[in-house]
Amino acid sequence: MKRYLKNFSLAIPFLFVGIAALVACDFTQESFNIHQALSNLMNDLHLGLIPLVLLGCTRAIYVANEETKSIFTVRSMDWSDPNISTSLWASPRGSERTSAGESDEGYPHTWKSQYKSLVVCNYNKSATDGINEEGLVANLLFLPQANYTHDENSQEKPRLTITALAQYVLDNYATVKAVVEGLKQQPFFLVTSKLAVAKLNPKTNEFEVYFKPIGLHLSVSDSQGDSAVFQYVEEYVDGKKTGKSELVVYYVPEEEEDKNKETITVLTNNLYTKQLELLNKFKKDNGDFDWGNKNEVFRWDELKKYNLEREEVKEMNPPMNGADIRFLRASFYSNRLDKIDKNIKNKRPFIDETQRDPENLEGSHSTWVEDWSKHEGLARAVSLIRNMSTPLNVQAIDDNPFLASTVWRTVADHGNNRYFFELNRALYPLYVDLEELFADLETVKKLDLYVPPVKEGEKGIDLLEDQLNKGEKIGKVNHLFEDVKDNKWFYFDYQRSDTETSGSLH
């Protein structure tokens, strides 16, 4: 391809013009496809100049020990808004829920929680991530191709706003299998709204407000290591768009799983069928991952693998940190992370050099092995999701809107019933002992971590300031949860002024 670079020299400026035009538009399926095409073309040209389609959020599962069910669900939240409010909310059983707001269209879905849960709430409206008392984890991640089209006049089904989907799952199901069976019934229409975000205008050097459509998809996992992905996308029949939304479920029942070869464990921000096609390029006929073998050569400086028999070239880690790139990276690392079992190679080796003899080095020491710390799996899980992160306030190139910083990370420790949270704008991670929290949870409780002021002149809550100046919100934080006034849960959508339930919960 390089030999054609001269012929493409005149086309390169038009790539930049196209990118600039897309920056000014809302993020749609078409713009996503164009960005992907531009990214692939520039990779082929070996230009490596512009990071395209750098979207947010990665979720992965690490099974440290299958026998002891030492299982971790890890997740990062990448977002372009540096003032995304973040709180932890705990809910008892029997909590009344209403999915209402701008998007309910007059038929809000209502339900009552059957399980206690702990969730990460963003913008005081979205249960973005969380876990319930049965060990079921739900994660909402950004999906540009999300589609929630339905008959707005239909009274057939109530409406559930997308920001409530994870909460609905945690409230009603105990296992991944139950979630799959329940959501396949499609008991509601999903609806969405737009999010107000402040963005710096480089021409005026002033912040301006624009509105971003909320498009998300869902992943779930449980304490048995089961996992599924749910995507609401535009329906196609005979290759043609129908203008309707379709639920697509990716799930491999346990009886059909081939251990260590399942692929419903990693999720980022693209259509899952396309990401599985990408992953299948690295699989052999028997399902084993083929990250490298004797017929292939991997050169670190080129970030490629060369198959000497088939004369193939595979991109191992294309430039920057896009959705498909993170999907491959997370798949690679989660698959390659050692299990922590009784196998001798997975124990810690030590060397005794107390009898070291400079004249007989090889014969003057002995070795022994010990078990890893019982928290070694946690350390590896945390390191896995940190590896998927993007630095805070990284400068985009040519005002590219898709370079989003990692604002927080979570690690759900299914085996030890702990939920770890790490805000990138803080120095220390914190965690909640779930068994202790849920044991006597009878009222709604919350813990504010980062809450920007609602009005000018007011003071917000800053986790970094609390940690540095007060020495608070570090490590275990069970004792810092506070009761919520009137035992109310947050709204899942913006409230219209004409609704009886409008107003702030704070």
Side-chain angles (χ1 to χ4, degrees):
M1 192 70 184
K2 284 185 176 180
R3 65 180 180 271
Y4 299 116
L5 185 57
K6 183 177 180 180
N7 295 335
F8 277 102
S9 60
L10 294 177
I12 293 174
F14 292 98
L15 290 177
F16 288 90
V17 173
I19 294 166
L22 285 169
V23 168
C25 302
D26 276 346
F27 190 70
T28 63
Q29 171 64 54
E30 286 73 19
S31 66
F32 180 85
N33 291 337
I34 294 172
H35 272 74
Q36 288 285 46
L38 289 173
S39 180
N40 294 336
L41 175 56
M42 297 186 77
N43 283 337
D44 288 342
L45 291 172
H46 299 279
L47 295 180
L49 297 178
I50 295 181
L52 301 180
V53 200
L54 299 182
L55 305 173
C57 308
T58 302
R59 173 269 210 178
I61 296 174
Y62 169 50
V63 181
N65 190 309
E66 293 181 359
E67 293 182 358
T68 62
K69 296 299 180 183
S70 179
I71 299 168
F72 302 87
T73 299
V74 300
R75 183 264 172 85
S76 66
M77 172 67 171
D78 293 8
W79 199 244
S80 57
D81 181 8
N83 286 316
I84 179 172
S85 62
T86 306
S87 305
L88 297 179
W89 287 65
S91 169
R93 300 188 199 104
S95 295
E96 301 283 349
R97 307 278 195 237
T98 300
S99 175
E102 289 181 329
S103 306
D104 63 20
E105 299 174 352
Y107 306 99
H109 189 51
T110 60
W111 71 96
K112 184 181 293 187
S113 63
Q114 299 182 42
Y115 302 99
K116 301 176 182 180
S117 65
L118 174 71
V119 300
V120 179
C121 174
N122 289 129
Y123 293 110
N124 198 37
K125 65 175 290 185
S126 174
T128 312
D129 196 272
I131 186 171
N132 68 15
E133 60 182 310
E134 297 296 324
L136 180 70
V137 168
N139 326 96
L140 281 180
L141 282 71
F142 180 55
L143 180 66
Q145 302 97 328
N147 185 296
Y148 312 116
T149 306
H150 60 275
D151 183 356
E152 296 182 6
N153 297 317
S154 172
Q155 300 182 28
E156 176 189 1
K157 299 178 184 179
R159 276 58 164 168
L160 180 79
T161 183
I162 184 61
T163 52
L165 182 58
Q167 187 70 60
Y168 174 82
V169 165
L170 295 175
D171 284 344
N172 289 282
Y173 304 108
T175 65
V176 169
K177 185 177 181 179
V179 178
V180 172
E181 293 173 349
L183 291 189
K184 276 187 174 181
Q185 302 302 314
Q186 301 195 55
F188 42 71
F189 288 132
L190 274 179
V191 294
T192 189
S193 59
K194 291 187 177 182
L195 187 67
V197 179
K199 179 183 176 183
L200 182 65
N201 185 327
K203 294 182 179 180
T204 63
N205 204 31
E206 295 181 353
F207 284 97
E208 299 176 353
V209 175
Y210 72 101
F211 293 87
K212 176 183 293 188
I214 302 174
L216 305 168
H217 56 167
L218 173 74
S219 67
V220 293
S221 52
D222 60 28
S223 56
Q224 300 302 308
D226 214 359
S227 175
V229 168
F230 304 83
Q231 295 186 329
Y232 293 82
V233 295
E234 188 160 15
E235 183 182 50
Y236 283 77
V237 176
D238 297 328
K240 296 181 179 180
K241 297 180 180 180
T242 66
K244 298 180 181 179
S245 177
E246 176 188 19
L247 170 61
V248 182
V249 180
Y250 299 89
Y251 173 60
V252 181
E254 185 175 0
E255 57 270 19
E256 298 178 16
E257 286 181 5
D258 189 351
K259 293 298 182 183
N260 301 318
K261 297 178 183 179
E262 63 176 47
T263 56
I264 316 297
T265 56
V266 174
L267 181 65
T268 58
N269 315 103
N270 199 355
L271 295 175
Y272 209 59
T273 181
K274 294 183 180 297
Q275 295 194 320
L276 290 179
E277 289 174 4
L278 185 65
L279 193 61
N280 284 336
K281 294 180 181 179
F282 294 89
K283 278 192 164 188
K284 295 186 290 188
D285 292 339
N286 65 357
D288 289 330
F289 281 101
D290 180 23
W291 300 114
N293 58 41
K294 64 181 180 180
N295 294 320
E296 293 182 330
V297 176
F298 175 64
R299 298 187 177 98
W300 282 100
D301 289 338
E302 295 187 23
L303 303 176
K304 301 177 187 294
K305 286 203 316 178
Y306 297 89
N307 189 301
L308 303 182
E309 288 186 347
R310 295 184 299 224
E311 298 183 354
E312 283 184 342
V313 180
K314 295 177 184 175
E315 284 281 354
M316 283 291 289
N317 191 12
M320 310 309 288
N321 202 27
D324 287 347
I325 298 166
R326 281 181 287 107
F327 180 81
L328 270 185
R329 290 176 58 212
S331 297
F332 172 81
Y333 284 119
S334 59
N335 179 255
R336 298 294 296 174
L337 275 178
D338 268 341
K339 307 292 184 184
I340 304 172
D341 52 31
K342 297 178 181 179
N343 191 314
I344 190 66
K345 79 168 187 175
N346 291 320
K347 294 181 180 292
R348 293 188 292 175
F350 294 90
I351 302 176
D352 181 354
E353 290 191 290
T354 57
Q355 305 300 319
R356 182 184 178 96
D357 181 357
E359 297 182 359
N360 183 26
L361 288 178
E362 294 185 2
S364 60
H365 66 271
S366 60
T367 62
W368 79 99
V369 295
E370 291 183 1
D371 289 336
W372 285 103
S373 160
K374 64 179 181 179
H375 302 302
E376 173 64 17
L378 172 63
R380 296 182 189 182
V382 172
S383 70
L384 171 63
I385 196 58
R386 284 175 174 170
N387 183 262
M388 298 296 113
S389 299
T390 302
L392 283 172
N393 282 54
V394 60
Q395 275 193 323
I397 298 176
D398 285 351
D399 196 30
N400 188 301
F402 305 114
L403 185 56
S405 300
T406 301
V407 291
W408 51 259
R409 291 175 288 267
T410 60
V411 175
D413 184 346
H414 296 273
N416 292 304
N417 293 316
R418 289 174 176 170
Y419 187 78
F420 294 82
F421 180 89
E422 186 172 38
L423 189 72
N424 253 15
R425 279 193 167 81
L427 293 183
Y428 310 105
L430 49 90
Y431 76 93
V432 178
D433 185 317
L434 299 172
E435 188 171 347
E436 177 184 306
L437 177 71
F438 292 147
D440 56 357
L441 184 65
E442 300 295 335
T443 60
V444 174
K445 296 179 180 293
K446 71 167 181 172
L447 174 60
D448 288 326
L449 301 176
Y450 183 82
V451 181
V454 177
K455 299 178 181 179
E456 188 173 357
E458 292 184 351
K459 186 175 179 60
I461 297 172
D462 192 322
L463 180 58
L464 181 59
E465 294 293 325
D466 288 342
Q467 290 183 342
L468 284 178
N469 298 333
K470 301 178 183 178
E472 295 180 349
K473 300 176 183 177
I474 300 171
K476 183 178 173 181
V477 294
N478 285 53
H479 63 290
L480 296 177
F481 279 80
E482 299 178 348
D483 287 329
V484 174
K485 184 180 179 180
D486 298 328
N487 211 35
K488 289 184 178 179
W489 199 246
F490 56 85
Y491 299 121
F492 295 112
D493 203 345
Y494 294 110
Q495 298 300 294
R496 295 189 299 268
S497 59
D498 61 345
T499 59
E500 295 181 0
T501 55
S502 64
S504 173
L505 293 181
H506 295 283

